[in-house]
Amino acid sequence: MTFPGRDPEVIIPPQPAHAPNSPPSRPAHLTWSATHDRLQALTVWTERRPGHGEDAEPLAAYHRPTGNGLLAVFDGAGGSGAAPAWRTPDGATHTGAWVGARVARLAAECWFQGVVDAEEPDTPERLTCCLRAVLAAAPRTARSKVTGSMRRLLPTTMAAVRYRLGDHGVRWQAVWAGDSRSYALLPGSGLHALTRDHTHEDDTLAQLRQDPPMTNVICADRPFELSAHQGEFRRPCVLLSATDGFFGYAHTPAQFECLLLETLGQARTAGEWAGLLRRAIQPITGDDASLSLVALGFDDFAQLRGAFAERYDSVVRSGYRDVPTADGPDVLRDWQDRTWESYRPTYEQLMPGVRE
């Protein structure tokens, strides 16, 4: 998809469109997909409160001439950014979290456009500068009496994967702030985390149980930092980024992979996969949810689906989908601990180390 005034070789998902002065559809959601050569991309976006979801629309951009791509998701931090920050011309008010996520999306898109158009540095430091500049210029027309040490101005998470195709491989760099995540999904070994949440709790299962506060988010009024982690895969492979609405309401980390593979096995196209993911996540999540994904090096969708059939069978045999139905929290907790112990080594194999 192309946009006026933008490089026609960049694919970027559209934003949800609503008729003027009319409410959005309920429930609000958007799915998008595109294919080019041996690249298949999709995005999924849902919101719990139509018109007020604090996840920005996910970003999936690809520059055909150079083989450069970017996936990114943004989750406005509704707790620290709950104060009103912007009032639309028709009188609707949006929170700082809502504004912050969308401003960060704009900054990431501008950064990537500069990388492919003007050969600007593709470093996390340059992206940080873009984020700070766009956040500083963001409108702040609403006023709030909410104050306190936990308050942030336009706070949001970000999880992004910058990638570049080579002759046979994919160079990638994950860049993030907060608790949104990026992953690799590989045919032989399944789901691998490429990021580590900015929280004091480092165990992924414990994070599901506790939902610990974040220690670092993008915002307009305080210092923040972007973490980065990079590597290279041989093709074919799948890269993705997701907000916690997709993975934060599962019983175990393995169940996010189950969701991805089960819906993949039912789909016939990338567009169908996106739709199945959306329909699967909306009934079970308690939050806005967004995901951006690209499959690289598969001849077509049938080959993509077939490449993960054996992995899905392995996941099923391992019992990762089999949530105990017996009464009592101890039974569920024992099952979580047991399955996490077997799943964890592969899941964390490519995860960056614990920060000191």
Side-chain angles (χ1 to χ4, degrees), residues 42 44 73 159 179-185 190-195 197 204-205 208 238-264 273 276-278 280-282 284-285 289-293 308 311-312 315 320-323 335 339-340 343 347:
L42 64 87
V44 181
V73 294
D179 62 1
S180 295
R181 298 175 185 169
S182 293
Y183 302 88
L185 184 63
L191 193 67
H192 302 266
L194 303 179
T195 58
D197 291 5
T204 307
L205 178 58
L208 279 177
V238 176
L239 301 172
L240 64 143
S241 297
T243 61
D244 63 355
F246 257 99
F247 56 78
Y249 292 84
H251 289 289
T252 71
Q255 289 198 316
F256 181 41
E257 182 179 350
C258 294
L259 174 73
L260 292 168
L261 297 184
E262 185 168 0
T263 51
L264 171 61
W273 191 14
L276 288 166
L277 282 167
R278 193 272 299 172
I281 198 62
Q282 277 194 291
I284 62 176
T285 188
S290 51
L291 176 145
S292 184
L293 178 150
F308 286 95
R311 172 62 185 176
Y312 179 64
V315 166
Y320 297 142
R321 297 190 314 159
D322 303 331
V323 181
W335 172 80
T339 56
W340 175 229
Y343 186 75
Y347 176 86

Side-chain angles (χ1 to χ4, degrees), residues 32-285:
W32 169 91
S33 64
T35 60
H36 171 69
D37 197 8
R38 301 178 76 202
L39 178 150
Q40 301 171 75
L42 64 87
T43 64
V44 181
W45 175 82
T46 73
E47 55 181 2
R48 297 291 292 175
R49 294 181 59 215
H52 296 277
E54 290 175 341
D55 279 18
E57 295 78 10
L59 178 61
Y62 179 68
H63 190 246
R64 296 186 183 103
T66 61
N68 283 284
L70 177 68
L71 307 174
V73 294
F74 312 85
D75 179 4
S80 59
W86 182 55
R87 184 172 293 110
T88 65
D90 63 1
T93 299
H94 292 290
T95 65
W98 188 97
V99 175
R102 285 151 179 83
V103 169
R105 184 192 191 277
L106 174 62
E109 184 179 337
C110 291
W111 170 74
F112 181 70
Q113 199 80 23
V115 169
V116 298
D117 280 351
E119 298 184 353
E120 294 179 0
D122 65 350
T123 62
E125 291 77 15
R126 178 61 180 169
L127 176 54
T128 300
C129 290
C130 289
L131 286 163
R132 287 175 175 157
V134 179
L135 284 165
R140 305 168 198 172
T141 57
R143 294 289 183 266
S144 172
K145 297 181 180 179
V146 178
T147 60
S149 61
M150 296 300 293
R151 184 188 174 195
R152 298 289 186 274
L153 186 61
L154 311 185
T156 184
T157 73
M158 181 187 74
V161 181
R162 163 89 165 82
Y163 64 92
R164 182 166 187 169
L165 304 185
D167 291 338
H168 302 288
V170 182
R171 291 287 305 174
W172 56 267
Q173 183 177 55
V175 183
W176 74 98
D179 62 1
S180 295
R181 298 175 185 169
S182 293
Y183 302 88
L185 184 63
L186 305 180
S189 52
L191 193 67
H192 302 266
L194 303 179
T195 58
R196 185 178 291 274
D197 291 5
H198 288 149
T199 69
H200 289 303
E201 176 56 68
D202 291 312
D203 184 280
T204 307
L205 178 58
Q207 290 168 351
L208 279 177
R209 289 168 169 167
Q210 301 170 13
D211 190 20
M214 290 178 285
T215 57
N216 176 54
V217 294
I218 296 165
C219 60
D221 60 335
R222 303 193 188 193
F224 65 87
E225 61 182 67
L226 299 181
S227 293
H229 180 52
Q230 62 186 358
E232 184 172 4
F233 296 130
R234 292 188 64 83
R235 286 179 278 175
C237 64
V238 176
L239 301 172
L240 64 143
S241 297
T243 61
D244 63 355
F246 257 99
F247 56 78
Y249 292 84
H251 289 289
T252 71
Q255 289 198 316
F256 181 41
E257 182 179 350
C258 294
L259 174 73
L260 292 168
L261 297 184
E262 185 168 0
T263 51
L264 171 61
Q266 297 168 358
R268 294 172 296 176
T269 66
E272 283 192 9
W273 191 14
L276 288 166
L277 282 167
R278 193 272 299 172
R279 288 190 289 274
I281 198 62
Q282 277 194 291
I284 62 176
T285 188

